[in-house]
Protein backbone atom coordinates (compact mmCIF):
# COMPACT_ATOMS: atom_id res chain seq x y z
CA UNK A 1 0.00 0.00 0.00
CA UNK A 2 0.83 3.64 -0.02
CA UNK A 3 3.45 4.82 2.38
CA UNK A 4 4.30 8.38 3.20
CA UNK A 5 7.28 9.35 5.27
CA UNK A 6 8.86 12.51 6.50
CA UNK A 7 12.62 12.65 6.47
CA UNK A 8 13.14 14.02 9.96
CA UNK A 9 10.84 13.68 12.97
CA UNK A 10 12.17 16.92 14.46
CA UNK A 11 13.61 20.06 13.00
CA UNK A 12 15.51 22.82 14.77
CA UNK A 13 15.13 26.26 13.24
CA UNK A 14 16.31 29.70 14.27
CA UNK A 15 13.53 32.23 14.50
CA UNK A 16 13.47 34.25 11.31
CA UNK A 17 15.15 31.57 9.22
CA UNK A 18 13.45 29.53 6.55
CA UNK A 19 12.29 26.00 7.39
CA UNK A 20 12.19 23.12 4.97
CA UNK A 21 10.27 19.96 5.74
CA UNK A 22 10.65 17.05 3.34
CA UNK A 23 8.37 14.15 2.59
CA UNK A 24 8.62 11.05 0.40
CA UNK A 25 5.73 9.03 -0.94
CA UNK A 26 5.59 5.67 -2.65
CA UNK A 27 2.55 5.59 -4.91
CA UNK A 28 3.20 7.04 -8.34
CA UNK A 29 -0.58 7.26 -8.88
CA UNK A 30 -0.86 9.91 -6.16
CA UNK A 31 -2.15 13.09 -7.71
CA UNK A 32 -3.01 15.39 -4.86
CA UNK A 33 -0.65 16.45 -2.10
CA UNK A 34 -1.41 18.41 1.02
CA UNK A 35 0.43 19.85 3.95
CA UNK A 36 -1.34 20.10 7.28
CA UNK A 37 -0.41 21.70 10.56
CA UNK A 38 -1.66 20.22 13.80
CA UNK A 39 -1.49 21.89 17.17
CA UNK A 40 -1.74 19.83 20.31
CA UNK A 41 -5.24 18.51 20.96
CA UNK A 42 -6.68 19.88 17.73
CA UNK A 43 -7.58 18.58 14.31
CA UNK A 44 -5.29 19.10 11.31
CA UNK A 45 -5.34 22.53 9.77
CA UNK A 46 -4.90 22.89 6.02
CA UNK A 47 -1.79 24.83 4.99
CA UNK A 48 -1.34 24.37 1.27
CA UNK A 49 -1.95 21.81 -1.44
CA UNK A 50 -0.63 21.00 -4.88
CA UNK A 51 -1.88 18.82 -7.68
CA UNK A 52 0.29 16.54 -9.74
CA UNK A 53 0.19 18.79 -12.79
CA UNK A 54 2.21 21.41 -10.92
CA UNK A 55 5.66 21.39 -9.37
CA UNK A 56 5.48 24.52 -7.23
CA UNK A 57 2.81 26.49 -5.46
CA UNK A 58 3.12 29.45 -3.16
CA UNK A 59 0.94 30.66 -0.35
CA UNK A 60 1.41 33.18 2.38
CA UNK A 61 4.91 32.49 3.77
CA UNK A 62 4.71 28.90 2.55
CA UNK A 63 5.79 27.16 -0.63
CA UNK A 64 5.20 23.58 -1.62
CA UNK A 65 7.49 21.86 -4.11
CA UNK A 66 6.63 18.60 -5.81
CA UNK A 67 9.10 16.35 -7.59
CA UNK A 68 7.13 13.49 -9.10
CA UNK A 69 10.20 11.90 -10.64
CA UNK A 70 11.62 11.02 -7.24
CA UNK A 71 8.25 11.11 -5.43
CA UNK A 72 9.30 13.88 -3.13
CA UNK A 73 7.38 16.73 -1.60
CA UNK A 74 8.62 19.62 0.50
CA UNK A 75 7.19 22.48 2.50
CA UNK A 76 9.12 25.69 2.88
CA UNK A 77 8.17 28.15 5.59
CA UNK A 78 9.67 31.60 5.22
CA UNK A 79 10.78 33.63 8.26
CA UNK A 80 9.84 30.96 10.78
CA UNK A 81 8.13 32.25 13.88
CA UNK A 82 7.49 30.70 17.30
CA UNK A 83 3.83 30.45 16.30
CA UNK A 84 4.84 28.01 13.58
CA UNK A 85 5.68 25.41 16.21
CA UNK A 86 3.29 22.53 15.62
CA UNK A 87 3.39 19.11 14.01
CA UNK A 88 3.43 19.23 10.22
CA UNK A 89 2.05 16.34 8.20
CA UNK A 90 2.30 15.73 4.51
CA UNK A 91 -0.55 13.76 3.03
CA UNK A 92 -1.22 12.24 -0.36
CA UNK A 93 -4.39 11.28 -2.16
CA UNK A 94 -5.42 9.91 -5.53
CA UNK A 95 -8.70 9.87 -7.39
CA UNK A 96 -8.04 6.24 -8.27
CA UNK A 97 -7.83 5.51 -4.55
CA UNK A 98 -11.27 6.92 -3.82
CA UNK A 99 -9.79 10.21 -2.59
CA UNK A 100 -8.48 8.51 0.55
CA UNK A 101 -5.82 10.59 2.21
CA UNK A 102 -2.73 8.88 3.61
CA UNK A 103 -0.78 10.84 6.18
CA UNK A 104 2.93 10.85 6.78
CA UNK A 105 4.50 10.52 10.21
CA UNK A 106 4.76 14.19 11.11
CA UNK A 107 7.57 16.63 11.81
CA UNK A 108 7.72 19.19 14.58
CA UNK A 109 9.92 22.23 13.99
CA UNK A 110 11.53 23.58 17.12
CA UNK A 111 11.87 27.31 16.74
CA UNK A 112 14.77 28.80 18.65
CA UNK A 113 14.50 32.43 19.64
CA UNK B 1 -16.98 28.23 5.19
CA UNK B 2 -16.47 24.43 5.22
CA UNK B 3 -16.68 23.97 8.97
CA UNK B 4 -16.79 20.54 10.54
CA UNK B 5 -17.70 20.00 14.16
CA UNK B 6 -17.38 17.01 16.44
CA UNK B 7 -19.21 16.17 19.60
CA UNK B 8 -18.18 15.53 22.26
CA UNK B 9 -14.72 17.08 22.30
CA UNK B 10 -13.69 14.66 25.00
CA UNK B 11 -15.29 11.70 26.75
CA UNK B 12 -14.35 9.33 29.50
CA UNK B 13 -16.12 6.00 29.68
CA UNK B 14 -15.81 2.75 31.52
CA UNK B 15 -14.52 -0.41 29.93
CA UNK B 16 -17.31 -2.41 28.31
CA UNK B 17 -19.56 0.54 27.53
CA UNK B 18 -20.26 2.08 24.13
CA UNK B 19 -19.53 5.63 23.08
CA UNK B 20 -20.96 7.58 20.16
CA UNK B 21 -19.06 10.40 18.49
CA UNK B 22 -20.81 12.77 16.11
CA UNK B 23 -19.31 14.54 13.13
CA UNK B 24 -21.26 17.32 11.45
CA UNK B 25 -20.62 19.47 8.43
CA UNK B 26 -22.10 22.81 9.42
CA UNK B 27 -22.24 24.78 6.20
CA UNK B 28 -22.00 22.25 3.40
CA UNK B 29 -23.35 18.88 2.41
CA UNK B 30 -20.74 16.20 2.85
CA UNK B 31 -21.05 13.36 0.40
CA UNK B 32 -18.09 11.63 1.98
CA UNK B 33 -16.85 11.55 5.54
CA UNK B 34 -13.68 9.98 6.82
CA UNK B 35 -12.82 8.76 10.30
CA UNK B 36 -9.27 8.73 11.63
CA UNK B 37 -7.69 7.77 14.91
CA UNK B 38 -4.48 9.20 16.25
CA UNK B 39 -2.36 7.87 19.09
CA UNK B 40 -0.07 10.23 21.01
CA UNK B 41 2.86 11.50 18.96
CA UNK B 42 1.73 9.49 15.96
CA UNK B 43 0.14 10.29 12.65
CA UNK B 44 -3.49 10.05 11.65
CA UNK B 45 -4.59 6.57 10.64
CA UNK B 46 -7.59 6.27 8.37
CA UNK B 47 -10.19 3.96 9.87
CA UNK B 48 -13.03 4.15 7.39
CA UNK B 49 -14.67 6.08 4.60
CA UNK B 50 -18.40 6.62 4.63
CA UNK B 51 -20.68 7.88 1.90
CA UNK B 52 -24.13 9.14 2.70
CA UNK B 53 -26.72 6.42 2.53
CA UNK B 54 -24.33 3.53 2.06
CA UNK B 55 -22.24 1.27 4.23
CA UNK B 56 -18.84 2.47 5.34
CA UNK B 57 -15.68 1.09 3.81
CA UNK B 58 -13.25 0.05 6.52
CA UNK B 59 -9.50 -0.03 6.24
CA UNK B 60 -7.68 -3.27 6.71
CA UNK B 61 -7.35 -4.18 10.36
CA UNK B 62 -10.24 -2.03 11.56
CA UNK B 63 -13.04 -4.06 13.11
CA UNK B 64 -16.33 -2.93 11.60
CA UNK B 65 -18.36 -4.53 14.39
CA UNK B 66 -16.42 -2.61 16.99
CA UNK B 67 -16.35 0.74 15.23
CA UNK B 68 -19.84 1.28 13.90
CA UNK B 69 -20.16 4.09 11.41
CA UNK B 70 -23.45 5.59 10.30
CA UNK B 71 -23.69 8.31 7.68
CA UNK B 72 -27.42 8.90 7.80
CA UNK B 73 -27.54 12.35 6.24
CA UNK B 74 -25.39 14.69 4.19
CA UNK B 75 -24.40 16.60 7.29
CA UNK B 76 -23.98 13.93 9.95
CA UNK B 77 -21.85 10.86 10.45
CA UNK B 78 -21.47 8.99 13.71
CA UNK B 79 -18.80 6.66 15.01
CA UNK B 80 -19.80 4.32 17.81
CA UNK B 81 -17.07 2.54 19.70
CA UNK B 82 -18.75 -0.57 21.07
CA UNK B 83 -17.62 -2.47 24.15
CA UNK B 84 -14.79 -0.03 24.63
CA UNK B 85 -11.50 -1.16 26.08
CA UNK B 86 -8.59 0.91 27.41
CA UNK B 87 -6.66 0.26 24.18
CA UNK B 88 -9.42 2.12 22.31
CA UNK B 89 -8.35 5.28 24.11
CA UNK B 90 -7.26 7.62 21.36
CA UNK B 91 -7.93 10.88 19.56
CA UNK B 92 -10.65 10.36 16.95
CA UNK B 93 -10.87 12.85 14.10
CA UNK B 94 -13.40 13.09 11.30
CA UNK B 95 -13.19 14.93 8.02
CA UNK B 96 -15.68 15.68 5.30
CA UNK B 97 -15.58 16.38 1.61
CA UNK B 98 -18.19 17.13 -1.04
CA UNK B 99 -18.65 16.11 -4.62
CA UNK B 100 -15.54 14.70 -6.21
CA UNK B 101 -13.34 17.28 -4.55
CA UNK B 102 -10.09 16.19 -3.04
CA UNK B 103 -10.22 18.71 -0.25
CA UNK B 104 -11.10 17.39 3.15
CA UNK B 105 -12.23 19.58 6.00
CA UNK B 106 -11.27 18.29 9.41
CA UNK B 107 -13.14 18.39 12.67
CA UNK B 108 -11.45 19.39 15.94
CA UNK B 109 -11.21 15.81 17.18
CA UNK B 110 -12.64 13.84 20.10
CA UNK B 111 -10.43 12.60 22.90
CA UNK B 112 -11.69 9.21 24.14
CA UNK B 113 -10.38 7.79 27.39
CA UNK B 114 -11.55 4.34 28.47
CA UNK B 115 -10.96 3.47 32.10
Amino acid sequence: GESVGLHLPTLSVQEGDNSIINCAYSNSASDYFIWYKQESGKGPQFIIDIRSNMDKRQGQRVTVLLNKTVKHLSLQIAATQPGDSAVYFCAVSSHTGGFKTIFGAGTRPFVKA
Amino acid sequence: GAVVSQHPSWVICKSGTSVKIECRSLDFQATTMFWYRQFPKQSLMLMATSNEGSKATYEQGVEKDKFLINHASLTLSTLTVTSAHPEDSSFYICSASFGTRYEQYFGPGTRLTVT
Side-chain angles (χ1 to χ4, degrees):
Chain A
E2 169 75 86
S3 68
V4 182
L6 275 81
H7 288 190
L8 289 174
T10 60
L11 177 70
S12 181
V13 181
Q14 192 71 40
E15 183 177 354
D17 286 354
N18 296 336
S19 306
I20 299 177
I21 304 173
N22 296 301
C23 178
Y25 62 96
S26 65
N27 186 358
S28 55
S30 299
D31 53 10
Y32 180 58
F33 308 86
I34 322 102
W35 282 99
Y36 292 96
K37 173 183 179 180
Q38 186 181 30
E39 297 176 355
S40 182
K42 298 184 178 179
Q45 177 187 354
F46 173 90
I47 301 173
I48 192 168
D49 61 0
I50 189 168
R51 295 183 188 265
S52 57
N53 60 351
M54 303 173 67
D55 52 22
K56 180 179 180 178
R57 190 162 186 229
Q58 289 184 294
Q60 187 177 14
R61 276 202 313 121
V62 293
T63 300
V64 56
L65 299 177
L66 174 63
N67 185 328
K68 294 182 292 294
T69 303
V70 295
K71 297 201 267 300
H72 183 271
L73 183 72
S74 68
L75 176 70
Q76 300 177 2
I77 305 172
T80 308
Q81 304 165 2
D84 294 326
S85 292
V87 179
Y88 290 80
F89 293 99
C90 64
V92 302
S93 181
S94 72
H95 72 281
T96 57
F99 302 102
K100 289 193 305 185
T101 299
I102 306 300
F103 280 77
T107 291
R108 178 184 291 275
F110 173 71
V111 183
K112 296 183 290 184
Chain B
V3 178
V4 176
S5 70
Q6 282 184 239
H7 178 81
S9 56
W10 60 270
V11 57
I12 301 173
C13 71
K14 293 191 175 184
S15 189
T17 61
S18 295
V19 175
K20 180 184 285 189
I21 302 170
E22 293 185 350
C23 176
R24 293 182 186 271
S25 56
L26 299 185
D27 51 3
F28 67 99
Q29 293 186 323
T31 49
T32 305
M33 286 187 171
F34 303 86
W35 285 95
Y36 298 83
R37 67 188 296 183
Q38 184 179 33
F39 292 109
K41 299 190 186 304
Q42 293 189 23
S43 187
L44 281 75
M45 184 194 78
L46 180 65
M47 298 175 68
T49 304
S50 76
N51 294 296
E52 185 265 338
S54 60
K55 290 184 178 179
T57 301
Y58 290 80
E59 294 300 299
Q60 191 172 8
V62 178
E63 299 176 58
K64 62 181 180 182
D65 294 330
K66 179 166 184 63
F67 299 99
L68 301 177
I69 292 172
N70 184 290
H71 191 163
S73 76
L74 286 171
T75 59
L76 173 66
S77 176
T78 60
L79 168 68
T80 301
V81 183
T82 63
S83 187
H85 290 284
E87 55 264 33
D88 298 325
S89 298
S90 188
F91 194 50
Y92 292 87
I93 306 170
C94 74
S95 69
S97 64
F98 53 92
T100 57
R101 296 173 65 97
Y102 286 101
E103 294 89 346
Q104 292 183 31
Y105 303 94
F106 283 84
T110 296
R111 172 81 54 199
L112 169 63
T113 301
V114 184
T115 61

